[in-house]
């Protein structure tokens, strides 16, 4: 009798224990969860951290009715053992964005299969990281708060400009959880305004048609936002390119200011003049910025006034980058420092070949415009280009074509508050390379 009572007590005790594995947590979930089962041999890539489960890696989906876009699903290996969970997309080539691995869910089940809780936890961690890096500060109040895969929230970017947060959405799940994302950002003390920016083309690939929808527009008084970065003031348009400002180039812009004293500097694809402004503030004797966008150049010229700079030392021209450089080569012009920071030319691996030709042509001209012994800083924000190693190979081959010898001096990525997930196959990854050109 005592033995029976003991076994009964033990059984009741075990039943009262909380679930300890993702499989157990999923079994207790109040909603039936679909299971996305991977093909044999495809599991390790995702165990290693790649957050994007592409449709070709999926063997079968277990669950009726089938999951819909935005639904939480369990991702399992070929034996149906869970390796993690994520958010499903019935249209995209990436059918699941993994949000948490099985080991994490077991270690801290509070966020397991709970997207609202996970969002809050990940955004809080992103805030803490930036605070530990001293952001914001008296010298810098423009920075990236959430960096998509780098902060393990694939498809979500949040840039902070003073009291304004610009949220860039490029995934269907971000649209689904828009109220929760905004609530997390609104709780930050210094944020008084939020601007929601949708990447319409990327969201179309996610199966959403948002052509008739636009982000939240700011009042007219906020069409220009003034911020400071490393002590330099900038006017930002939240309706401009990307989120309105390329916060990931902060440390690279500052580096230019440290090497520009007494130099002639050319800033190609200058946007609102970030590199050019840093060059002249660093003592450059003459700086020229070139871009095709009139709104960007209006910002650049505003930034000259904001910083009380000598307009005789810095100027901005509206012209196509290739045409400007061809004309300058024909005139045998050269600069001590040339910066080339074109827009993303290879958003996907499938356009690598055509993009390679564009990168080759632009960099060949830039090398010819760099005086022998001078410096060329060339950039690519195309993850498909940089992470495949193609960008460096293109630059080496281009130098031979341009009859130049290049020596690698410095290779940098994004600013330190932009953590990068190296396993992400096609994410935005900034590569910034400095060469000496002979």
């Amino acid at each position: 009798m005592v033995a029976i009572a003991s076994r009964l007590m033990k059984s009741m005790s075990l039943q009262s224990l909380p679930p300890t594995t993702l499989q157990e947590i999923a079994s207790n979930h109040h909603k039936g969860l679909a299971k996305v089962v991977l093909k044999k041999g495809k599991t390790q890539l995702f165990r290693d951290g790649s957050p994007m489960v592409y449709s070709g890696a999926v063997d079968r989906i277990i669950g009726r009715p089938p999951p819909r876009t935005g639904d939480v699903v369990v991702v399992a290996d070929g034996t149906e053992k869970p390796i993690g969970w994520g958010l499903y997309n019935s249209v995209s080539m990436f059918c699941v964005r993994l949000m948490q691995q099985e080991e994490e869910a077991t270690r801290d089940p509070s966020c397991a299969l709970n997207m609202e809780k996970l969002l809050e936890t990940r955004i809080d961690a992103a805030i803490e990281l930036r605070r530990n890096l001293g952001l914001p500060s008296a010298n810098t109040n423009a920075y990236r708060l959430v960096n998509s895969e780098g902060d393990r929230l694939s498809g979500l970017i949040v840039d902070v400009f003073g009291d304004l947060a610009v949220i860039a959405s490029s995934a269907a799940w971000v649209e689904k959880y828009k109220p929760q994302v905004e609530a997390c950002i609104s709780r930050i003390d210094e944020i008084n305004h939020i601007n929601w920016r949708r990447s319409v083309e990327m969201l179309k690939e996610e199966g959403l048609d948002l052509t008739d929808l636009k982000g939240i527009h700011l009042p007219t008084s906020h069409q220009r936002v003034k911020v400071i970065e490393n002590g330099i003031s900038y006017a930002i348009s939240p309706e401009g390119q990307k989120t309105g400002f390329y916060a990931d180039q902060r440390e690279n812009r500052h580096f230019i200011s440290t090497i520009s004293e007494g130099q002639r500097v050319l800033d190609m694809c200058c946007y609102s003049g970030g590199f050019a402004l840093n060059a002249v503030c660093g003592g450059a004797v003459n700086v020229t910025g070139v871009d095709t966008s009139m709104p960007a150049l209006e910002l650049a010229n505003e930034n000259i006034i904001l910083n009380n700079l000598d307009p005789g030392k810095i100027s901005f021209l509206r012209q196509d980058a290739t045409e400007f450089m061809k004309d300058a080569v024909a005139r045998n012009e050269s600069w001590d420092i040339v910066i080339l920071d074109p827009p993303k030319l290879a958003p996907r691996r499938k356009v690598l070949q055509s993009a390679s030709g564009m990168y080759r042509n632009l960099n060949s001209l830039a090398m010819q415009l760099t005086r022998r012994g001078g410096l060329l800083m060339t950039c690519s924000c195309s993850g498909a280009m940089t992470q495949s190693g193609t960008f460096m190979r293109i630059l080496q081959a281009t130098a031979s074509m341009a009859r130049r010898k290049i020596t690698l001096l410095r290779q940098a990525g994004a600013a330190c508050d932009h953590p990068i997930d190296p396993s992400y196959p096609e994410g935005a990854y900034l590569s910034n390379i400095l060469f000496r050109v002979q």
Side-chain angles (χ1 to χ4, degrees):
M1 197 71 180
V2 172
I4 294 173
S6 176
R7 286 197 297 271
L8 182 59
M9 293 276 294
K10 184 176 181 181
S11 173
M12 291 173 65
S13 175
L14 287 172
Q15 288 176 11
S16 66
L17 290 174
T20 58
T21 68
L22 183 57
Q23 181 66 62
E24 292 172 351
I25 296 169
S27 298
N28 291 344
H29 202 266
H30 66 281
K31 295 180 180 178
L33 294 179
K35 183 178 286 186
V36 176
V37 182
L38 302 175
K39 292 178 180 177
K40 183 179 179 181
K42 298 294 185 181
T43 304
Q44 195 58 45
L45 174 66
F46 308 109
R47 287 193 188 279
D48 289 343
S50 179
M52 312 294 275
V53 178
Y54 52 96
S55 55
V58 175
D59 181 62
R60 61 192 183 278
I61 298 175
I62 301 172
R64 289 288 180 272
R68 296 176 298 177
T69 294
D71 283 355
V72 170
V73 295
V74 173
V75 178
D77 63 18
T79 67
E80 299 185 14
K81 179 182 177 182
I83 67 165
W85 66 273
L87 297 165
Y88 185 74
N89 191 303
S90 61
V91 176
S92 171
M93 64 180 289
F94 298 115
C95 64
V96 181
R97 292 184 189 244
L98 272 170
M99 289 294 163
Q100 197 178 36
Q101 294 200 6
E102 201 275 340
E103 294 82 358
E104 296 174 280
T106 300
R107 188 168 59 248
D108 178 17
S110 64
C111 295
L113 308 175
N114 185 335
M115 195 58 207
E116 291 88 348
K117 177 65 175 174
L118 186 75
L119 254 177
E120 183 179 341
T121 300
R122 294 265 165 91
I123 290 176
D124 285 348
I127 294 169
E128 183 179 3
L129 172 62
R130 277 66 179 184
R131 294 288 189 267
N132 290 339
L133 291 167
L135 295 168
S137 69
N139 266 348
T140 299
N141 65 357
Y143 62 98
R144 182 152 295 175
L145 178 66
V146 177
N147 192 40
S148 195
E149 289 77 24
D151 287 297
R152 306 188 62 208
L153 289 171
S154 177
L156 174 65
I157 284 177
V158 182
D159 281 351
V160 173
F161 306 126
D163 68 346
L164 166 69
V166 179
I167 301 173
S169 161
S170 60
W173 78 262
V174 180
E175 292 297 313
K176 178 176 180 176
Y177 289 93
K178 180 174 181 282
Q180 291 84 357
V181 172
E182 289 182 323
C184 288
I185 301 303
S186 296
R187 287 197 293 268
I188 302 171
D189 289 341
E190 62 263 26
I191 300 302
N192 295 320
H193 306 279
I194 290 177
N195 190 22
W196 190 276
R197 296 286 301 267
R198 292 182 170 98
S199 300
V200 174
E201 292 305 313
M202 296 183 76
L203 289 172
K204 281 182 180 178
E205 294 180 10
E206 291 272 303
L208 303 181
D209 185 3
L210 301 171
T211 52
D212 295 329
L213 297 177
K214 295 182 180 179
I216 300 170
H217 286 280
L218 297 170
T220 304
S221 60
H222 283 87
Q223 290 303 310
R224 285 283 196 274
V225 178
K226 291 182 175 61
V227 298
I228 188 168
E229 179 194 80
N230 290 324
I232 297 176
S233 297
Y234 295 86
I236 291 175
S237 169
E239 304 301 323
Q241 296 175 24
K242 299 293 182 68
T243 61
F245 189 65
Y246 295 97
D248 53 355
Q249 286 277 29
R250 182 182 69 249
E251 292 180 5
N252 297 319
R253 284 190 285 263
H254 175 66
F255 176 75
I256 285 293
S257 73
T258 68
I259 62 172
S260 294
E261 187 171 2
Q263 305 296 296
R264 295 180 68 249
V265 179
L266 175 64
D267 182 6
M268 296 301 306
C269 308
C270 66
Y271 188 52
S272 58
F275 283 111
L277 294 166
N278 275 270
V280 76
C281 288
V285 294
N286 181 269
V287 180
T288 301
V290 180
D291 204 281
T292 57
S293 169
M294 182 56 73
L297 294 176
E298 288 174 356
L299 287 170
N301 283 305
E302 282 185 43
N303 291 335
I304 293 176
I305 298 168
L306 270 180
N307 291 281
N308 297 313
L309 300 177
D310 181 353
K313 289 186 177 181
I314 180 170
S315 61
F316 294 102
L317 304 174
R318 185 186 186 194
Q319 195 171 345
D320 175 76
T322 300
E323 293 305 315
F324 175 90
M325 289 194 287
K326 281 182 177 179
D327 291 345
V329 168
R331 296 192 301 268
N332 290 317
E333 287 196 69
S334 66
W335 282 263
D336 302 308
I337 300 173
V338 175
I339 300 137
L340 176 63
D341 186 15
K344 184 184 289 189
L345 302 177
R348 292 288 183 271
R349 289 185 186 274
K350 63 184 178 182
V351 298
L352 266 180
Q353 187 172 354
S354 60
S356 295
M358 290 186 280
Y359 278 113
R360 190 178 298 112
N361 292 337
L362 286 169
N363 280 280
S364 175
L365 290 166
M367 288 176 189
Q368 293 174 68
L369 291 179
T370 306
R371 71 163 176 82
R372 292 189 184 272
L375 302 176
L376 168 63
M377 178 180 278
T378 183
C379 311
S380 170
C381 60
S382 299
M385 179 67 61
T386 56
Q387 293 191 358
S388 65
T390 305
F391 189 46
M392 186 62 79
R393 290 195 295 270
I394 286 173
L395 296 173
Q396 291 164 341
T398 299
S400 179
M401 284 173 43
R403 297 181 179 179
R404 296 292 191 273
K405 179 181 178 182
I406 56 175
T407 304
L408 178 63
L409 299 180
R410 177 181 183 266
Q411 187 167 5
C416 60
D417 53 303
H418 290 51
I420 297 294
D421 182 347
S423 64
Y424 182 52
E426 294 185 298
Y429 179 75
L430 173 66
S431 182
N432 182 294
I433 302 173
L434 183 71
F435 290 112
R436 187 173 300 283
V437 179
Q438 300 283 2

